Amino acid sequence: MALLLCFVLLCGVVDFARSLSITTPEEMIEKAKGETAYLPCKFTLSPEDQGPLDIEWLISPADNQKVDQVIILYSGDKIYDDYYPDLKGRVHFTSNDLKSGDASINVTNLQLSDIGTYQCKVKKAPGVANKKIHLVVLASNKAGLIAGAIIGTLLALALIGLIIFCCRKKRREEKYEKEVHHDIREDVPPPKSRTSTARSYIGSNHSSLGSMSPSNMEGYSKTQYNQVPSEDFERTPQSPTLPPAKVAAPNLSRMGAIPVMIPAQSKDGSIV
């Protein structure tokens, strides 16, 4: 008889254990001020759970000076979220169908006063289950600081890489310009200036004049002057017309000879 009673009690314990249960483990969540905290609470039901479904979330403030207070409640297919003034309008169920087994909530715009232990309690007679979650709200945003540090590091590396690239590019351009100028100096002689050209021309003329003898000086000066395009040199010099002069023959009477008159010849060839 005692053995039978123990068997019956054991079966009852097993059946009770197979009833409603919350599958989400207890955990601690850290979020920065102003962010949104997701507090999970997922549960499963058993065929024996036939009563109405009731879900409530409670908060135990960190200062331990306040008793547990309900922050949101689901009962009779209705949601009540105006129990806790500090979280009014900032706490919501994440699922539209709580009977599907998801009683998770979101707490938006976190404040330091939201720090505490949150308890999810699910009831569906005869089953009852609850889980606790510890929420910590950080005043210095660690996630933001980490993200800012990573972004700053990446920007610094990008800037350094850009500076190195620009420096190398400038050096390559300077090296190329030097090589091009060097090749030009080797292949092409520099042009002569007008002054040096004039000096070379005058020097060559002086050397030519110095090497000439008096015999060919007349021809050289004629050649040089003939190169000057001037009307004065193109004109033929004309000598003034003079009357033909009569040349008197020498007095040969004194010499015992007969005097003879020698005719003079004019410019046009006529004898006067």
Side-chain angles (χ1 to χ4, degrees):
M1 186 67 181
L3 183 61
L4 181 61
L5 182 60
C6 290
F7 179 75
V8 172
L9 292 174
L10 181 61
C11 290
V13 171
V14 172
D15 290 339
F16 180 78
R18 291 175 56 189
S19 63
L20 186 151
S21 64
I22 296 177
T23 59
T24 303
E26 293 187 1
E27 59 180 320
M28 183 177 69
I29 297 176
E30 291 185 355
K31 288 290 182 178
K33 181 180 178 181
E35 293 184 343
T36 297
Y38 169 72
L39 307 182
C41 181
K42 296 184 179 181
F43 61 91
T44 57
L45 300 174
S46 68
E48 289 79 10
D49 300 326
Q50 298 296 327
L53 178 64
D54 293 333
I55 301 173
E56 63 179 6
W57 277 87
L58 301 92
I59 181 174
S60 298
D63 54 11
N64 295 323
Q65 295 180 1
K66 297 179 181 179
V67 297
D68 295 351
Q69 295 188 21
V70 177
I71 59 175
I72 192 169
L73 173 67
Y74 173 81
S75 180
D77 296 333
K78 292 184 179 181
I79 297 175
Y80 305 91
D81 58 359
D82 56 353
Y83 286 97
Y84 193 61
D86 292 346
L87 285 173
K88 186 176 181 179
R90 297 194 293 118
V91 59
H92 312 280
F93 284 108
T94 60
S95 176
N96 295 326
D97 185 12
L98 298 178
K99 294 180 180 180
S100 64
D102 188 0
S104 305
I105 61 172
N106 280 333
V107 181
T108 62
N109 192 21
L110 288 175
Q111 304 298 320
L112 296 178
S113 59
D114 298 336
I115 297 175
T117 301
Y118 292 76
Q119 181 178 187
C120 174
K121 185 181 289 187
V122 181
K123 300 178 183 179
K124 189 171 178 66
V128 178
N130 63 77
K131 287 291 182 181
K132 293 182 178 180
I133 297 177
H134 303 283
L135 176 62
V136 178
V137 179
L138 304 174
S140 56
N141 188 339
K142 288 186 178 180
L145 291 176
I146 294 173
I150 293 174
I151 294 174
T153 302
L154 293 177
L155 290 176
L157 292 176
L159 181 61
I160 293 173
L162 180 62
I163 293 174
I164 294 175
F165 173 78
C166 293
C167 293
R168 290 184 175 180
K169 183 178 179 181
K170 186 176 181 181
R171 289 180 180 177
R172 286 196 299 266
E173 291 177 353
E174 292 177 353
K175 183 178 179 181
Y176 176 76
E177 291 178 358
K178 290 181 179 179
E179 292 178 352
V180 171
H181 291 169
H182 181 70
D183 293 340
I184 292 176
R185 286 196 298 269
E186 288 184 350
D187 299 340
V188 181
K192 295 182 179 180
S193 62
R194 295 183 178 179
T195 305
S196 60
T197 305
R199 290 178 179 176
S200 301
Y201 179 76
I202 295 172
S204 62
N205 289 340
H206 288 174
S207 62
S208 300
L209 291 174
S211 60
M212 287 184 176
S213 60
S215 60
N216 57 9
M217 195 68 177
E218 181 180 359
Y220 176 80
S221 50
K222 289 183 178 180
T223 304
Q224 293 296 325
Y225 283 114
N226 288 336
Q227 293 179 357
V228 181
S230 175
E231 295 182 356
D232 296 336
F233 289 94
E234 290 180 356
R235 296 176 180 175
T236 303
Q238 298 179 357
S239 58
T241 303
L242 300 176
K246 293 182 179 181
V247 180
N251 190 359
L252 300 178
S253 59
R254 296 180 181 180
M255 299 174 60
I258 299 173
V260 179
M261 295 295 293
I262 298 176
Q265 188 177 2
S266 64
K267 183 178 181 181
D268 55 1
S270 58
I271 299 174
V272 181

